[in-house]
Amino acid sequence: MRIGAYTLCNGLLVAPMAGITDRPFRRLARRFGAALAVSEMVSARPELRDSRKTRLRLDHAGEPGPISVQIAGAEPQMLADAARLNVDGGAQIIDINMGCPAKKVCNVSAGSALLSDELLVARILEAVVAAVAVPVTLKIRTGPAPERRNALRIARIAESAGVQALAIHGRTRACAFEGRAEYRTIAEVKAAVRIPVIANGDIQTPEDARRVLAETGADAVMVGRAAQGRPWLFREIAHYLATGERLAPPAPGEIGAVLAEHLDGLYSLYGGEHGARVARKHIGWTVRLLPGGEAFRSSVNRLHAAHAQRAAVDDYFERLAA
Ligand SMILES: Cc1cc2nc3c(=O)[nH]c(=O)nc-3n(C[C@H](O)[C@H](O)[C@H](O)COP(=O)(O)O)c2cc1C
């Protein structure tokens, strides 16, 4: 699949997840075979640009390209300025968030709230595409609500504005994360536009990925929550899509080594104490299905210092491997 001048190595993308898909997670996901990992959204609002959170979200040191930065906001000019600034800061693709269901994204009606206002969507996309020389991509839901699924109209607006790829989460804004994602709307969009379409929502296994690609005809799939605590899922999906065969799951020794690398990345990005706080959820997701995982999770959550957390994780995996 191509996004502008970039040819991706496969049709497997990491879904942006604020608070989760930071640089350490993206690096792991990319190493395990994901072709593109969009950054967590950063606000387009000028007063938030210099915040520590935004700075950390924009840290792409050592990440393989193409670097895709997601911006969120509701004002065409503000988004255009943010796109320009992020390109100056190293973004090679600008992704616009019209998929987040939160009522307010960074205190404005942004994210999927924009889908109700198609004229504003057009103004935003035209402004951002005109502002930067790099490809602009868009992430949406299927519409504001099940009775108002306008993904097809939004996709046509995006295509005419010069957007170069469209990711669609198969739920409406009103659905939040309830029920199951539906792929029929994604298939309709794919059949109607020429730009690459990326299908997203509830893809949990390699078989899901293949089925969704077949059902929608999409150019790629995007995976989010199922990769929490198991970034090697991208390796399993990529292998299955390429060969039709299932890879064996990683042994505890490899899981421990991946988690240790992830933790070191978090400590180095956020600093020890903050990094250890961020790490808790990743540790919990990683060990939840492993023997004694639940008891280990509660005990490790009582530790505050990075070195103590890291030592406990090493110890848990050494015992597991023995
Ligand atoms: C914790 C969390 C944070 C998210 N943050 C973002 C975000 O910053 N930008 C965005 O476009 N979507 C965001 N999403 C939506 C995901 O990108 C994705 O569309 C959704 O989770 C459905 O895919 P999945 O079923 O594979 O998780 C977030 C989802 C979760 C669970």
Side-chain angles (χ1 to χ4, degrees):
M1 178 183 129
R2 287 176 69 88
I3 300 182
Y6 298 106
T7 303
L8 303 188
C9 62
N10 61 29
L12 186 51
L13 278 67
V14 186
M17 290 183 287
I20 295 158
T21 54
D22 50 16
R23 187 188 65 190
F25 186 94
R26 292 194 302 271
R27 283 177 68 164
L28 281 173
R30 290 294 309 273
R31 216 184 55 228
F32 280 116
L36 186 71
V38 182
S39 76
E40 310 158 273
M41 66 181 161
V42 289
S43 172
R45 290 172 63 193
E47 67 273 28
L48 297 179
R49 270 181 211 147
D50 291 327
S51 68
R52 178 169 188 265
K53 190 169 173 179
T54 300
R55 269 201 322 278
L56 290 172
R57 286 191 174 184
L58 290 177
D59 189 332
H60 292 277
E63 233 179 294
I67 305 291
S68 173
V69 172
Q70 187 182 69
I71 55 175
E75 291 273 323
Q77 198 49 53
M78 216 182 265
L79 278 155
D81 291 344
R84 221 177 280 119
L85 273 173
N86 279 297
V87 170
D88 291 345
Q92 294 165 312
I93 296 173
I94 292 291
D95 187 53
I96 303 176
N97 179 342
M98 295 194 191
C100 185
K103 270 210 175 66
K104 302 250 176 193
V105 178
C106 306
N107 298 324
V108 288
S109 288
S112 59
L114 295 170
L115 296 176
S116 303
D117 189 340
E118 294 173 15
L119 281 178
L120 180 57
V121 169
R123 285 176 46 225
I124 288 174
L125 299 180
E126 281 159 15
V128 175
V129 169
V132 291
V134 305
V136 174
T137 59
L138 175 65
K139 180 156 176 290
I140 62 170
R141 286 183 168 233
T142 52
E147 63 286 0
R148 286 187 292 145
R149 284 206 175 93
N150 61 349
L152 193 52
R153 282 200 304 277
I154 298 281
R156 290 196 166 116
I157 291 169
E159 184 167 47
S160 331
V163 164
Q164 309 244 17
L166 178 67
I168 310 175
H169 175 189
R171 286 187 175 84
T172 67
R173 169 178 164 76
C175 294
F177 281 93
E178 301 294 312
R180 301 289 305 164
E182 58 88 16
Y183 306 111
R184 213 179 50 207
T185 308
I186 302 177
E188 279 167 23
V189 170
K190 171 61 198 168
V193 295
R194 287 181 308 277
I195 53 175
V197 170
I198 301 147
N200 168 240
D202 293 350
I203 296 168
Q204 290 174 352
T205 63
E207 288 82 358
D208 286 346
R210 188 157 80 174
R211 180 176 51 82
V212 170
L213 283 170
E215 273 180 33
T216 58
D219 301 272
V221 284
M222 177 180 262
V223 176
R225 289 166 298 168
Q228 291 170 346
R230 41 186 201 133
W232 50 84
L233 178 62
F234 294 103
R235 174 175 72 190
E236 296 176 356
I237 296 179
H239 182 82
Y240 187 77
L241 291 180
T243 66
E245 278 165 25
R246 266 278 200 171
L247 269 184
E254 185 184 7
I255 297 177
V258 171
L259 181 58
E261 183 183 340
H262 195 168
L263 299 187
D264 290 344
L266 295 172
Y267 306 149
S268 126
L269 180 64
Y270 297 106
E273 205 172 314
H274 183 187
R277 268 201 314 279
V278 175
R280 284 182 184 161
K281 56 182 178 259
H282 295 287
I283 297 172
W285 287 322
T286 307
V287 303
R288 69 187 146 188
L289 297 178
L290 296 176
E294 196 43 46
F296 173 66
R297 192 184 62 81
S298 3
S299 71
V300 81
N301 275 354
R302 289 195 284 272
L303 304 174
H304 297 283
H307 64 87
Q309 184 183 64
R310 177 72 155 74
V313 166
D314 286 349
D315 181 57
Y316 170 78
F317 278 97
E318 266 162 33
R319 278 186 285 123
L320 211 58

mmCIF file of all heavy atoms in Angstrom, residues 2 15 46 70 96 136 144 151 155 219-220 227 261 268 282 303 307:
data_model
loop_
_atom_site.group_PDB
_atom_site.id
_atom_site.type_symbol
_atom_site.label_atom_id
_atom_site.label_comp_id
_atom_site.label_asym_id
_atom_site.label_seq_id
_atom_site.Cartn_x
_atom_site.Cartn_y
_atom_site.Cartn_z
ATOM 1 N N ARG A 2 0.417 2.269 -0.713
ATOM 2 C CA ARG A 2 1.185 3.516 -0.770
ATOM 3 C C ARG A 2 0.425 4.629 -0.054
ATOM 4 O O ARG A 2 -0.796 4.712 -0.137
ATOM 5 C CB ARG A 2 1.389 3.937 -2.228
ATOM 6 C CG ARG A 2 2.382 3.083 -2.993
ATOM 7 C CD ARG A 2 2.401 3.544 -4.440
ATOM 8 N NE ARG A 2 2.993 4.875 -4.554
ATOM 9 C CZ ARG A 2 4.292 5.093 -4.714
ATOM 10 N NH1 ARG A 2 5.117 4.072 -4.816
ATOM 11 N NH2 ARG A 2 4.770 6.312 -4.794
ATOM 12 N N ALA A 15 -2.964 1.203 15.432
ATOM 13 C CA ALA A 15 -3.940 2.270 15.678
ATOM 14 C C ALA A 15 -3.383 3.240 16.708
ATOM 15 O O ALA A 15 -2.802 2.810 17.708
ATOM 16 C CB ALA A 15 -5.241 1.668 16.198
ATOM 17 N N PRO A 46 -2.539 26.205 20.131
ATOM 18 C CA PRO A 46 -1.207 26.770 20.360
ATOM 19 C C PRO A 46 -0.806 26.733 21.828
ATOM 20 O O PRO A 46 0.346 26.464 22.150
ATOM 21 C CB PRO A 46 -1.341 28.217 19.879
ATOM 22 C CG PRO A 46 -2.530 28.250 19.004
ATOM 23 C CD PRO A 46 -3.432 27.143 19.435
ATOM 24 N N GLN A 70 -0.406 12.396 14.450
ATOM 25 C CA GLN A 70 -1.838 12.684 14.406
ATOM 26 C C GLN A 70 -2.146 13.997 15.115
ATOM 27 O O GLN A 70 -1.703 14.213 16.244
ATOM 28 C CB GLN A 70 -2.643 11.569 15.066
ATOM 29 C CG GLN A 70 -4.136 11.798 14.863
ATOM 30 C CD GLN A 70 -5.006 10.760 15.542
ATOM 31 O OE1 GLN A 70 -5.084 10.701 16.763
ATOM 32 N NE2 GLN A 70 -5.686 9.960 14.744
ATOM 33 N N ILE A 96 -5.146 13.207 10.556
ATOM 34 C CA ILE A 96 -6.118 14.054 11.261
ATOM 35 C C ILE A 96 -7.108 13.156 12.005
ATOM 36 O O ILE A 96 -7.662 12.213 11.420
ATOM 37 C CB ILE A 96 -6.871 14.975 10.277
ATOM 38 C CG1 ILE A 96 -5.865 15.824 9.499
ATOM 39 C CG2 ILE A 96 -7.861 15.863 11.020
ATOM 40 C CD1 ILE A 96 -6.510 16.702 8.445
ATOM 41 N N VAL A 136 -1.332 13.795 3.676
ATOM 42 C CA VAL A 136 -2.262 13.956 4.794
ATOM 43 C C VAL A 136 -3.207 12.757 4.779
ATOM 44 O O VAL A 136 -3.727 12.389 3.727
ATOM 45 C CB VAL A 136 -3.065 15.273 4.655
ATOM 46 C CG1 VAL A 136 -4.135 15.371 5.746
ATOM 47 C CG2 VAL A 136 -2.124 16.474 4.723
ATOM 48 N N PRO A 144 -21.752 9.880 12.749
ATOM 49 C CA PRO A 144 -22.086 10.341 14.102
ATOM 50 C C PRO A 144 -22.910 9.303 14.880
ATOM 51 O O PRO A 144 -22.759 9.184 16.093
ATOM 52 C CB PRO A 144 -22.921 11.601 13.864
ATOM 53 C CG PRO A 144 -22.653 11.998 12.454
ATOM 54 C CD PRO A 144 -22.326 10.752 11.701
ATOM 55 N N ALA A 151 -19.990 7.943 6.412
ATOM 56 C CA ALA A 151 -18.587 7.686 6.063
ATOM 57 C C ALA A 151 -18.344 7.820 4.555
ATOM 58 O O ALA A 151 -17.283 8.304 4.139
ATOM 59 C CB ALA A 151 -18.180 6.288 6.535
ATOM 60 N N ALA A 155 -15.704 10.253 3.010
ATOM 61 C CA ALA A 155 -14.597 9.696 2.214
ATOM 62 C C ALA A 155 -14.461 10.442 0.885
ATOM 63 O O ALA A 155 -13.356 10.734 0.430
ATOM 64 C CB ALA A 155 -14.844 8.210 1.962
ATOM 65 N N ASP A 219 -7.298 -1.894 1.814
ATOM 66 C CA ASP A 219 -5.883 -2.018 1.453
ATOM 67 C C ASP A 219 -5.040 -2.449 2.646
ATOM 68 O O ASP A 219 -3.926 -2.935 2.468
ATOM 69 C CB ASP A 219 -5.389 -0.659 0.941
ATOM 70 C CG ASP A 219 -6.208 -0.221 -0.250
ATOM 71 O OD1 ASP A 219 -5.851 -0.588 -1.367
ATOM 72 O OD2 ASP A 219 -7.254 0.455 -0.051
ATOM 73 N N ALA A 220 -5.550 -2.216 3.842
ATOM 74 C CA ALA A 220 -4.761 -2.518 5.034
ATOM 75 C C ALA A 220 -5.702 -2.630 6.228
ATOM 76 O O ALA A 220 -6.860 -2.211 6.165
ATOM 77 C CB ALA A 220 -3.738 -1.398 5.285
ATOM 78 N N ALA A 227 -3.376 -5.376 20.618
ATOM 79 C CA ALA A 227 -1.908 -5.418 20.720
ATOM 80 C C ALA A 227 -1.416 -4.899 22.070
ATOM 81 O O ALA A 227 -0.212 -4.896 22.322
ATOM 82 C CB ALA A 227 -1.285 -4.604 19.590
ATOM 83 N N GLU A 261 12.382 -4.545 27.581
ATOM 84 C CA GLU A 261 12.762 -3.490 26.622
ATOM 85 C C GLU A 261 11.729 -2.356 26.627
ATOM 86 O O GLU A 261 12.069 -1.175 26.591
ATOM 87 C CB GLU A 261 12.876 -4.104 25.222
ATOM 88 C CG GLU A 261 13.324 -3.108 24.178
ATOM 89 C CD GLU A 261 13.369 -3.720 22.775
ATOM 90 O OE1 GLU A 261 13.426 -4.964 22.652
ATOM 91 O OE2 GLU A 261 13.338 -2.931 21.818
ATOM 92 N N SER A 268 13.084 5.687 30.106
ATOM 93 C CA SER A 268 13.966 6.661 29.465
ATOM 94 C C SER A 268 13.158 7.822 28.863
ATOM 95 O O SER A 268 13.585 8.969 28.893
ATOM 96 C CB SER A 268 14.872 5.940 28.451
ATOM 97 O OG SER A 268 14.792 6.495 27.202
ATOM 98 N N HIS A 282 0.894 -1.629 31.060
ATOM 99 C CA HIS A 282 1.514 -2.548 30.087
ATOM 100 C C HIS A 282 1.907 -3.863 30.768
ATOM 101 O O HIS A 282 1.749 -4.935 30.183
ATOM 102 C CB HIS A 282 2.741 -1.887 29.454
ATOM 103 C CG HIS A 282 2.400 -0.680 28.628
ATOM 104 N ND1 HIS A 282 1.782 -0.758 27.398
ATOM 105 C CD2 HIS A 282 2.567 0.645 28.877
ATOM 106 C CE1 HIS A 282 1.602 0.459 26.914
ATOM 107 N NE2 HIS A 282 2.067 1.332 27.797
ATOM 108 N N LEU A 303 4.782 -1.052 43.749
ATOM 109 C CA LEU A 303 6.144 -0.504 43.661
ATOM 110 C C LEU A 303 6.128 0.823 42.896
ATOM 111 O O LEU A 303 5.417 0.958 41.909
ATOM 112 C CB LEU A 303 7.054 -1.506 42.934
ATOM 113 C CG LEU A 303 7.098 -2.912 43.544
ATOM 114 C CD1 LEU A 303 7.907 -3.856 42.662
ATOM 115 C CD2 LEU A 303 7.689 -2.854 44.948
ATOM 116 N N HIS A 307 13.515 1.004 39.228
ATOM 117 C CA HIS A 307 14.446 -0.124 39.371
ATOM 118 C C HIS A 307 13.783 -1.287 40.100
ATOM 119 O O HIS A 307 14.007 -2.455 39.780
ATOM 120 C CB HIS A 307 15.755 0.310 40.043
ATOM 121 C CG HIS A 307 15.585 0.796 41.453
ATOM 122 N ND1 HIS A 307 15.591 -0.045 42.529
ATOM 123 C CD2 HIS A 307 15.358 2.028 41.945
ATOM 124 C CE1 HIS A 307 15.381 0.657 43.638
ATOM 125 N NE2 HIS A 307 15.250 1.914 43.307
#
